[in-house]
Amino acid sequence: MPKQYVEDLVPNTQVNSSFVVRSRSFASFRNKPGQYLNLSLADRTGEIVGRVWDNAEALGEVLTPGAIVRVVGRVEEYQGKPQLIVVQAEACRAAEVDPSDYLAASQRDPMEMLDELDAVMAEVENPCLSALLHAFFDDSDFRTRFTRSAGAKTLHHSFVSGLLEHTLSVVRILKVVNESHPQLNRDLLITGALLHDVGKVEELATETTIEYTDTGRLLGHTVLTDRMVRERLQQVPDFPPPLADLLMHMLLSHHGQKEYGAPIVPMTAEACALHYADNLDAHVQYFSQVVAAGAKSGNRWSDYQRLFDRYIYLGDAGEQGEGPTGQE
Amino acid sequence: MPKQYVEDLVPNTQVNSSFVVRSRSFASFRNKPGQYLNLSLADRTGEIVGRVWDNAEALGEVLTPGAIVRVVGRVEEYQGKPQLIVVQAEACRAAEVDPSDYLAASQRDPMEMLDELDAVMAEVENPCLSALLHAFFDDSDFRTRFTRSAGAKTLHHSFVSGLLEHTLSVVRILKVVNESHPQLNRDLLITGALLHDVGKVEELATETTIEYTDTGRLLGHTVLTDRMVRERLQQVPDFPPPLADLLMHMLLSHHGQKEYGAPIVPMTAEACALHYADNLDAHVQYFSQVVAAGAKSGNRWSDYQRLFDRYIYLGDAGEQGEGPTGQE
Amino acid sequence: MPKQYVEDLVPNTQVNSSFVVRSRSFASFRNKPGQYLNLSLADRTGEIVGRVWDNAEALGEVLTPGAIVRVVGRVEEYQGKPQLIVVQAEACRAAEVDPSDYLAASQRDPMEMLDELDAVMAEVENPCLSALLHAFFDDSDFRTRFTRSAGAKTLHHSFVSGLLEHTLSVVRILKVVNESHPQLNRDLLITGALLHDVGKVEELATETTIEYTDTGRLLGHTVLTDRMVRERLQQVPDFPPPLADLLMHMLLSHHGQKEYGAPIVPMTAEACALHYADNLDAHVQYFSQVVAAGAKSGNRWSDYQRLFDRYIYLGDAGEQGEGPTGQE
Amino acid sequence: MPKQYVEDLVPNTQVNSSFVVRSRSFASFRNKPGQYLNLSLADRTGEIVGRVWDNAEALGEVLTPGAIVRVVGRVEEYQGKPQLIVVQAEACRAAEVDPSDYLAASQRDPMEMLDELDAVMAEVENPCLSALLHAFFDDSDFRTRFTRSAGAKTLHHSFVSGLLEHTLSVVRILKVVNESHPQLNRDLLITGALLHDVGKVEELATETTIEYTDTGRLLGHTVLTDRMVRERLQQVPDFPPPLADLLMHMLLSHHGQKEYGAPIVPMTAEACALHYADNLDAHVQYFSQVVAAGAKSGNRWSDYQRLFDRYIYLGDAGEQGEGPTGQE
Amino acid sequence: MPKQYVEDLVPNTQVNSSFVVRSRSFASFRNKPGQYLNLSLADRTGEIVGRVWDNAEALGEVLTPGAIVRVVGRVEEYQGKPQLIVVQAEACRAAEVDPSDYLAASQRDPMEMLDELDAVMAEVENPCLSALLHAFFDDSDFRTRFTRSAGAKTLHHSFVSGLLEHTLSVVRILKVVNESHPQLNRDLLITGALLHDVGKVEELATETTIEYTDTGRLLGHTVLTDRMVRERLQQVPDFPPPLADLLMHMLLSHHGQKEYGAPIVPMTAEACALHYADNLDAHVQYFSQVVAAGAKSGNRWSDYQRLFDRYIYLGDAGEQGEGPTGQE
Amino acid sequence: MPKQYVEDLVPNTQVNSSFVVRSRSFASFRNKPGQYLNLSLADRTGEIVGRVWDNAEALGEVLTPGAIVRVVGRVEEYQGKPQLIVVQAEACRAAEVDPSDYLAASQRDPMEMLDELDAVMAEVENPCLSALLHAFFDDSDFRTRFTRSAGAKTLHHSFVSGLLEHTLSVVRILKVVNESHPQLNRDLLITGALLHDVGKVEELATETTIEYTDTGRLLGHTVLTDRMVRERLQQVPDFPPPLADLLMHMLLSHHGQKEYGAPIVPMTAEACALHYADNLDAHVQYFSQVVAAGAKSGNRWSDYQRLFDRYIYLGDAGEQGEGPTGQE
């Protein structure tokens, strides 16, 4: 039976397909005993609200967050949006699912991105920095995990291969900055850009959903990056300690300000450039993502974005929506 | 008599050449009556401390800030640096000086930069935005003033044609951002980048020195930019008001946060991109400038940079210097 | 059929009257298929919760935000407060409603306020400032819109003619400040006070509800004020540019701090005075409004006021209420 | 011998008159052994720089901060300003000096201000609040100290009777606020305004100079105000505790925000009004004072005002001055 | 009938026992007329959700916040947690309840803590400070109230005798700080620690629930502490004013920063020590309390702690829970 | 020839002894050609101002910062304080000086402190944590460097063995906190306290003066601590990763807030306790140090302490000084 994708689910159709459970919560009926289930079901094409009206306790044992579950049910319309009424559910066996079906992924082809990465790596002339990069990206285990990793849990590039996509964008920006500012050290710029977020591979678990690891929460990706780079540095013979300090300084300071978790602030032009290029790409991606999501909303303004303390303008995509209640 | 440039002044030589007076202050002798003059004398190659030991009051009337003055004197060494002991001074006639000799200028050729600007302008496809840009950059008076203007009084690109150099760097960055984020409106990105700081032409007077105008201080370049663009907009027939709003929103919000003087924060992806690209180029230029200046200092760390609340690393340029007293 | 006002609706009565729809949202029944409607219905005397239990989808097409709608239904009591169960609804024709019935208005008579405004305007002696004021307030279209405009969407003076009421209060305060500080320029104080918020006429649409315009959100009222005053300034012959700069400086800086959206901070005593007088009147009005609203609540303390991060004291108005849960 | 006032001292005249010593510091000659004295000498008309070139140690014992000293010397010109070269100095006996000659005072007549205060006090109708006010202002010792006290050490109203002048300005503002907001409690507004800074009488010692007391520094005037009002409250029979709480709340919260030393923030409309009226009057006085001082400077902009993080505009008062070095 | 404690209530049992009502709110049924009641019922062993499905209005009159009420009903399971369905309720007479049954209390024995307090008090050698302490702690009314008082409403030590427990912890810390820093005044440290929060006795009402008093909200415990200590100080003959200032300075500044409500910041080593010791004990208690509460949750991370802007790590206590949604 | 100590230098005596040069700067004579030297000369008992009037350039080559130099000269009095007029200077050979003579040291005996450290280490029961501690403190090279290291460059414990003294104080505080909060993990508390600042051994060079290393500035001691502990952790067999994460979390978060350079904030009760105990000891030491230094100043208040934005009270130590100019 072929997979039915979320983006194709329309009201008044039967469903018999598998999805990943993003979240699950029980709620009680207001005027009768018992409870039902609210679900978020997803695959790589989107997310749909699910409900279990009957037999919620039993089905709830299957429908656990992160699990890929085959559900049987029916799509209904609710407030103009589809929702899936689930009547049966059973866990899928690992063998029968393709994990890449269940989490959104970069719109760029990973192989093409890896080619771009390899090409950029080849531009680095300093033999020590080059050797360090190869120690990372020629290690097939690391290469695989890096290629899969999301860029963040929710903020930006929160999809499969998001870290790789973001990393390449930062490299591109730094290369054009280097054209305007040729006195900057090009090899450090490229190396710093390629390695600045490698710790996210350990901070985040990009499985069927994107979650923090305990270690990730307790230590943070900045320190994990430091550890990972230190370890590979020791594999490069005669890496000059002052060069190592300059590189590590870029990585440790790339959040730019202590308030944003940088244990040290940028004190070289290369570190300064990395910080702003990282912010530029991440925030533009975030704004674009909000606009893309909102395009379907029928509103002229996005929901309130707590993280940025503002609404984002959607424009003519829709006229019938209700604008946000503003601040003055 | 050929101009003697500041960068060529060595101790124990006679001087008879013209310089611009950057600042002037009287000081009193400690153990005898009377006073002397402390000067900052400059030309496009640098700045030198000047002193008038005798006849300070009379010479002080000639040596006024902003004036280009022919001085006769002698270079001595003081604390390892040259200083110019002035014994005669007379104001230069406008006809006999070339103003470009007295203020540092971009290392890029202005004509080449204007060619780059024209080429970028030609890439804009939207006819209204294109017409607006031509209303600015085909106006020879504006073109002349824009080409000369500094990017800021002291912070970054504080030299002749600094505004043009910075503007082009921001365009370059936004074009590469657009490659990674093709959903952004390319014409708005380019137009916004080219116009984001036009108000600086009125905020700053880039003459023999760079000074704020009274209007510049009282109103600020963000509002001056709004006024200038509004005026030219009215010359473009049928400019769609919503497009004007989107463009003006980018310009008004490009400082990014209210704390930095933006009357409104970025609420579109294009405005977000412009803000970060502007910061990226400006701050990298500032860091580079500090490193370049410090390279001559013989220290491993720059002086304390109040604006960024940090020292900047200079590295091996010198070993004999005294490092900054740090913070903990 | 005479209008039934919200403040007179008591439980267990039939309703057949028109109200404006402030907000509308669909919700689903918890234990049966289908959905119902939550409404906020209002007129100038207050706001009441409305519900549509049956036929929600059809009636929802009529009950759109901002619309004035005749509803038939019945008032019931719910949690000690009346709520209106709507069974029929049809849109009103513009001809049959008096818009002033549907939005709260200043308790001061607009005509009396305009008289006060004209009298204040007549006190301005400087002919250029006087001409500028007349260019605004003798323009009947502007005068009408200014007279109607709210002072803000929700924060303070959020009612018809709120802008006019607030403007006059600020004038009064500045006149008494001028008595204690006679060295301030009285004409600038009065003119600045009268014009400081004129941009709100374009930032806000004060129709049957108070909403931001898209232009208002994208540009903000400070810049809109600058544009409007600039335009009228050009109608006054020989307006001295330095006087224009001083006036525009007051208007642009009246939010007082960059954090509050002022592109420039007050740098004259008159600008400083305008800023604090504006804050004084706006915040006292806000506190008074919270106390007035809370007087009916039966509590000793208001709800938590997020904007001010505090509770406001209501006192003896009621004893039986539950106090806020405090912070420590 | 009549007093020679500072404002009348012109270069090249002999001086034999008495002044108060505001500050004193020793400095060493740079190229000979020994030291000289830098002084600030003052009277109610202004301040002049003083120097003791000879016999500095001995004269330094007489020229102690706060002392009123008869000096013999000569006025010379230094950097365009007069300075007083002191050759003899002896302490004045208390009997021979009029303290009011040595510290600037309000330009308003204290008796007239006390009449205004008494008239305002008579407007208070609530008998308890009225009795409390009389307990303060009919106590001749308090009345004398309050009348003399400065409003602050350096910030605003830093002159004899400055506290009284400021207090009355705040009352005036609150009365006009009450006209626009009649629902506020007029008696609380007036009483709160009159008492809001009484603790300054103990925090500051307004003698020949204005200094903090140790108690003032260790406890602050807000708590000292609380103590003084509590003490007088106990003298008013049957003062209702809730009314006392409302009044004390106004006094304790009048700094408006915790960051400014308010142990509690305003939670009533009257407390809110007092806070903003206090700020309005204090800051306008400060700006005016800077403008007045700067008018003599020959500059278009004031020195940098650290407390407000800005320059203040002086305008046409002078053209020849050097503007501030700006920020970007 | 013996009390049934909250911690012992298990699903499917009948209840007939008394509890205190912590909060109460009405809610409406979604698809039928009428409303039900949500309750928080508590005793010293914990808190349980309560519901009244039938007869909500009548029972709601009895089930008022703060009341101790005998309820009859049945425990059901809901979302894995017990909830109490109430069918009858009647207010308890004061005589039949032991108030200590209804609010959690310190795990330390109050008598033992008072002994520790008396022993500490006996260590104070300075006779004036000793007399002041005895004026507080030998006053049986104050002693009783102090012993009962919570340390805070919700933040830390929010239970009966929490203030006493916290006070003793602060004393212990300061004594060990004094060992490392013997130059600090031991008597001031102990006295300051014992008195630093006495105002909480009047700020909070620790009855069947912990609530702010109106006076507590309007004035704050810092000023109340000042008043209480001032009053007792007057009972100690010849208390040296400078010593009083030093002690009061400690008490007034113990919040450490103005932002946290300190009218004055610590300016002595003893005041500095008190501030940090207070914070240390309070925050460790808060973290411990979150960990203890979370241990039963089956999660690895606590709920989001708004006050500290973070999640707290719970660790292995449970594996099946859903982690928080993180921030990046 | 015995060493003459700074604290014993009195005016009008000859000096022939060795000191460390803390700082050196050239200055020019104001009314004659040439320059002189300003020095700070020091030993473990204090610091004295030095001057070289003659032959400054030649002697300046010897008197370099950090050098221990034998000087010949004479003590004179200047502004009530001694200053040393240097006439001869020659560098000391390493063999002839005892480095401990030139930098202030902890008043506690290092051997006694090491005994205390060993005893505390022995209290740790967890074998892995114990092994980790022994891997540090049984390594004689580390033990030597740790014993010598200052606690900070200037802020607190800025003297030889300051790090050890501070570390032990933090341990003591945490042990007493553990008595009040027995649920905390005692072994983690002790281990965290002992290791929290080990990175300072590499961040700071505590030689004849205390200076940052380049690596220290570029990476910061928090990350250096992480690296050092990671390295020793690998020497302990079977160290449980979750325990390592909990320990490293304490170390990485001990600055408490991101603004203070913590890459991660405390999320366990033990990390919270370490943070506050560290602050408590460091700040009390800083305040005590200011009071001790000020005791000799003859003032009632310290100089302005920029880091804490306040003056510190010195009290009766002197009456004749001039108080600070306060803020309002």
Side-chain angles (χ1 to χ4, degrees), chain B residues 111-261:
Chain B
M111 287 309 108
E112 183 198 298
M113 289 195 285
L114 284 171
D115 288 349
E116 184 177 339
L117 184 148
D118 289 335
V120 163
M121 191 160 55
E123 293 180 31
V124 173
E125 297 174 2
N126 179 292
C128 290
L129 293 173
S130 178
L132 175 66
L133 289 173
H134 283 284
F136 273 97
F137 295 107
D138 294 353
D139 167 346
S140 68
D141 178 56
F142 174 78
R143 191 176 177 99
T144 302
R145 294 172 70 205
F146 184 81
T147 303
R148 175 157 184 81
S149 181
K153 176 165 161 48
T154 53
L155 178 51
H156 69 98
H157 297 91
S158 49
F159 43 73
V160 171
S161 301
L163 179 55
L164 176 54
E165 182 181 322
H166 169 59
T167 295
L168 292 174
S169 293
V170 173
V171 171
R172 288 175 182 189
I173 293 167
L174 288 180
K175 285 170 66 178
V176 82
V177 165
N178 193 212
E179 286 172 29
S180 299
H181 301 279
Q183 67 279 40
L184 272 60
N185 182 323
R186 183 179 175 85
D187 287 347
L188 270 179
L189 286 175
I190 294 175
T191 308
L194 288 173
L195 299 181
H196 80 285
D197 265 349
V198 292
K200 289 208 167 170
V201 163
E202 305 210 341
E203 184 189 38
L204 297 173
T206 306
E207 311 293 344
T208 52
T209 57
I210 304 168
E211 291 299 337
Y212 283 102
T213 62
D214 273 9
T215 298
R217 280 183 186 283
L218 287 171
L219 307 181
H221 72 264
T222 302
V223 166
L224 290 170
T225 294
D226 184 74
R227 292 178 174 190
M228 289 166 72
V229 179
R230 283 271 293 170
E231 201 175 300
R232 311 266 174 173
L233 266 175
Q234 286 159 0
Q235 300 166 18
V236 180
D238 303 320
F239 202 107
L243 183 65
D245 281 356
L246 283 173
L247 175 63
M248 300 315 298
H249 173 71
M250 288 176 76
L251 306 183
L252 290 169
S253 71
H254 86 270
H255 283 189
Q257 297 182 40
K258 292 190 172 175
E259 294 84 312
Y260 301 142

Side-chain angles (χ1 to χ4, degrees), chain F residues 33 39 55 92 111 149 152 161 171 222 249 252 265 275 281 283 320:
Chain F
L39 300 167
N55 207 15
C92 295
M111 288 307 109
S149 182
S161 301
V171 171
T222 301
H249 172 72
L252 289 168
V265 294
H275 161 56
D281 184 63
H283 292 185
Q320 73 275 38

Side-chain angles (χ1 to χ4, degrees), chain F residues 299-314:
Chain F
N299 296 328
R300 296 185 68 75
W301 293 87
S302 76
D303 292 337
Y304 177 68
Q305 304 293 313
R306 188 182 56 76
L307 193 75
F308 283 85
D309 185 27
R310 73 193 65 169
Y311 299 97
I312 292 179
Y313 185 63
L314 305 175

Side-chain angles (χ1 to χ4, degrees), chain A residues 23-24 26-31 34-35 57 65 151-156 200 211-212 214 217-218 306-307, chain E residues 27-32 36 51 53 77-80 300-301 311 313 315 320 322-328:
Chain A
S23 70
R24 175 201 64 183
F26 289 91
S28 63
F29 292 114
R30 280 296 165 92
N31 62 350
Q35 52 190 328
E57 304 243 340
K153 177 165 160 51
T154 53
L155 178 51
H156 68 98
K200 289 208 167 170
E211 290 300 337
Y212 284 102
D214 274 9
R217 279 183 188 282
L218 287 170
R306 190 183 55 76
L307 193 75
Chain E
S28 63
F29 292 114
R30 280 294 165 94
N31 62 350
K32 68 175 188 186
Y36 61 97
R51 310 264 186 210
W53 297 125
E77 182 159 3
Y78 175 61
Q79 291 186 35
R300 296 186 68 76
W301 292 88
Y311 300 96
Y313 184 63
Q320 74 277 34
E322 299 167 33
T325 59
Q327 290 171 290
E328 294 160 52

Side-chain angles (χ1 to χ4, degrees), chain B residues 23-24 26-31 34-35 65 151-156 200 211-214 217-218 306-307, chain D residues 27-32 36 51 53 77-80 300-301 311 313 315 320 322-328:
Chain B
S23 70
R24 176 200 66 181
F26 289 90
S28 64
F29 293 113
R30 279 297 164 93
N31 62 349
Q35 52 188 327
K153 176 165 161 48
T154 53
L155 178 51
H156 69 98
K200 289 208 167 170
E211 291 299 337
Y212 283 102
T213 62
D214 273 9
R217 280 183 186 283
L218 287 171
R306 190 183 55 76
L307 193 75
Chain D
S28 64
F29 292 114
R30 279 295 164 94
N31 62 350
K32 67 176 188 186
Y36 61 95
R51 309 265 187 211
W53 297 124
E77 182 158 4
Y78 174 61
Q79 290 187 34
R300 296 185 69 75
W301 292 89
Y311 300 95
Y313 184 63
Q320 74 276 36
E322 300 165 34
T325 59
Q327 289 171 292
E328 294 157 51

Side-chain angles (χ1 to χ4, degrees), chain E residues 52-296:
Chain E
V52 180
W53 297 125
D54 299 311
N55 206 16
E57 304 242 340
L59 269 62
E61 306 224 338
V62 173
L63 291 156
T64 54
I68 298 176
V69 179
R70 171 165 299 274
V71 304
V72 175
R74 178 179 169 79
V75 183
E76 299 186 348
E77 182 159 3
Y78 175 61
Q79 291 186 35
K81 295 177 186 166
Q83 72 177 13
L84 204 168
I85 310 303
V86 175
V87 295
Q88 292 176 34
E90 65 176 347
C92 295
R93 274 164 304 187
E96 69 187 318
V97 295
D98 174 358
S100 73
D101 266 351
Y102 299 93
L103 190 58
S106 171
Q107 294 179 14
R108 295 193 59 194
D109 173 34
M111 287 308 109
E112 183 198 297
M113 291 196 282
L114 285 171
D115 287 348
E116 185 179 336
L117 185 149
D118 288 336
V120 163
M121 190 160 56
E123 293 181 32
V124 173
E125 296 175 1
N126 179 291
C128 290
L129 293 172
S130 177
L132 175 66
L133 289 172
H134 282 283
F136 272 97
F137 297 106
D138 292 356
D139 167 345
S140 68
D141 178 56
F142 174 80
R143 189 178 179 99
T144 302
R145 295 173 69 206
F146 183 82
T147 302
R148 176 157 182 82
S149 182
K153 176 164 160 51
T154 53
L155 177 52
H156 69 97
H157 297 93
S158 48
F159 44 72
V160 171
S161 302
L163 179 56
L164 176 54
E165 182 181 322
H166 169 59
T167 295
L168 292 174
S169 293
V170 173
V171 170
R172 286 175 183 189
I173 293 168
L174 288 180
K175 284 170 69 176
V176 81
V177 166
N178 194 211
E179 285 172 30
S180 299
H181 301 279
Q183 68 278 37
L184 271 60
N185 182 322
R186 183 179 176 85
D187 286 349
L188 270 178
L189 287 174
I190 295 174
T191 308
L194 289 172
L195 299 181
H196 80 286
D197 265 349
V198 292
K200 289 207 166 169
V201 162
E202 306 212 338
E203 185 189 38
L204 298 172
T206 306
E207 310 293 345
T208 52
T209 59
I210 305 169
E211 291 299 338
Y212 284 102
T213 61
D214 274 8
T215 298
R217 280 183 186 282
L218 287 170
L219 306 181
H221 73 264
T222 301
V223 165
L224 291 170
T225 295
D226 184 74
R227 292 178 174 191
M228 288 167 74
V229 178
R230 282 272 294 172
E231 198 174 301
R232 310 267 174 172
L233 265 175
Q234 286 159 2
Q235 299 166 19
V236 179
D238 304 320
F239 202 107
L243 182 63
D245 282 355
L246 284 173
L247 174 63
M248 300 314 298
H249 172 72
M250 289 176 74
L251 305 183
L252 289 168
S253 69
H254 87 271
H255 284 188
Q257 297 182 40
K258 291 189 173 177
E259 293 85 312
Y260 300 142
I264 216 84
V265 293
M267 295 184 279
T268 64
E270 288 81 8
C272 172
L274 173 58
H275 161 56
Y276 284 107
D278 178 36
N279 257 14
L280 169 53
D281 184 63
H283 293 185
V284 168
Q285 204 277 339
Y286 180 83
F287 271 62
S288 297
Q289 178 174 299
V290 171
V291 172
K296 307 169 190 165

Side-chain angles (χ1 to χ4, degrees), chain F:
Chain F
M1 194 179 309
K3 168 115 180 63
Q4 290 171 286
Y5 286 103
V6 166
E7 68 183 3
D8 300 325
L9 298 181
V10 291
N12 302 316
T13 54
Q14 297 300 321
V15 172
N16 182 344
S17 192
S18 52
F19 304 93
V20 65
V21 180
R22 285 252 178 97
S23 71
R24 176 201 65 181
S25 63
F26 288 91
S28 65
F29 292 114
R30 280 295 164 94
N31 61 350
K32 68 174 187 186
Q35 51 189 330
Y36 61 95
L37 268 179
N38 291 313
L39 300 167
S40 167
L41 299 171
D43 62 23
R44 64 170 167 79
T45 69
E47 203 168 15
I48 188 172
V49 169
R51 310 264 187 210
V52 179
W53 297 125
D54 299 311
N55 207 15
E57 305 242 339
L59 268 65
E61 306 224 338
V62 173
L63 292 156
T64 54
I68 298 176
V69 179
R70 170 166 299 276
V71 304
V72 175
R74 178 181 169 78
V75 183
E76 298 187 350
E77 182 159 4
Y78 174 61
Q79 290 187 37
K81 293 177 186 166
Q83 72 177 14
L84 204 169
I85 309 304
V86 174
V87 295
Q88 291 176 33
E90 62 175 350
C92 295
R93 275 163 303 189
E96 69 187 321
V97 295
D98 174 358
S100 72
D101 267 351
Y102 299 93
L103 192 57
S106 169
Q107 293 180 14
R108 295 192 59 193
D109 173 34
M111 288 307 109
E112 183 197 298
M113 290 196 283
L114 284 171
D115 287 349
E116 183 176 338
L117 183 149
D118 289 335
V120 163
M121 190 161 54
E123 293 180 32
V124 173
E125 295 175 3
N126 179 292
C128 290
L129 293 173
S130 178
L132 175 65
L133 289 173
H134 283 282
F136 273 98
F137 295 107
D138 293 354
D139 168 345
S140 68
D141 178 56
F142 174 79
R143 189 177 177 99
T144 302
R145 293 172 71 204
F146 184 82
T147 304
R148 176 158 183 81
S149 182
K153 177 165 160 51
T154 53
L155 178 52
H156 69 97
H157 298 91
S158 49
F159 44 73
V160 171
S161 301
L163 179 55
L164 176 54
E165 181 181 322
H166 169 59
T167 296
L168 292 174
S169 292
V170 173
V171 171
R172 287 175 182 188
I173 293 167
L174 288 180
K175 285 170 66 178
V176 79
V177 166
N178 194 211
E179 285 172 30
S180 299
H181 301 279
Q183 67 278 38
L184 272 59
N185 182 324
R186 182 179 176 86
D187 286 349
L188 270 179
L189 287 175
I190 294 175
T191 307
L194 288 173
L195 299 181
H196 80 286
D197 265 349
V198 292
K200 290 208 168 171
V201 162
E202 305 211 340
E203 184 189 38
L204 297 173
T206 306
E207 311 293 344
T208 52
T209 59
I210 305 168
E211 291 299 337
Y212 283 102
T213 62
D214 274 8
T215 298
R217 279 182 188 284
L218 287 169
L219 307 181
H221 73 265
T222 301
V223 166
L224 291 171
T225 294
D226 184 72
R227 291 178 175 191
M228 290 167 71
V229 178
R230 283 271 294 170
E231 200 174 300
R232 311 264 173 175
L233 264 176
Q234 286 158 1
Q235 300 166 19
V236 180
D238 303 321
F239 202 107
L243 183 63
D245 282 354
L246 283 174
L247 175 63
M248 300 314 299
H249 172 72
M250 288 177 75
L251 305 183
L252 289 168
S253 70
H254 86 270
H255 283 189
Q257 297 182 39
K258 292 190 172 175
E259 293 86 310
Y260 301 142
I264 216 84
V265 294
M267 294 185 281
T268 64
E270 288 81 9
C272 173
L274 174 58
H275 161 56
Y276 284 107
D278 178 37
N279 256 14
L280 167 53
D281 184 63
H283 292 185
V284 168
Q285 204 279 339
Y286 180 83
F287 271 62
S288 296
Q289 177 175 299
V290 170
V291 171
K296 307 169 189 163
S297 72
N299 296 328
R300 296 185 68 75
W301 293 87
S302 76
D303 292 337
Y304 177 68
Q305 304 293 313
R306 188 182 56 76
L307 193 75
F308 283 85
D309 185 27
R310 73 193 65 169
Y311 299 97
I312 292 179
Y313 185 63
L314 305 175
D316 292 328
E319 304 278 8
Q320 73 275 38
E322 300 166 33
T325 60
Q327 290 170 289
E328 294 158 53

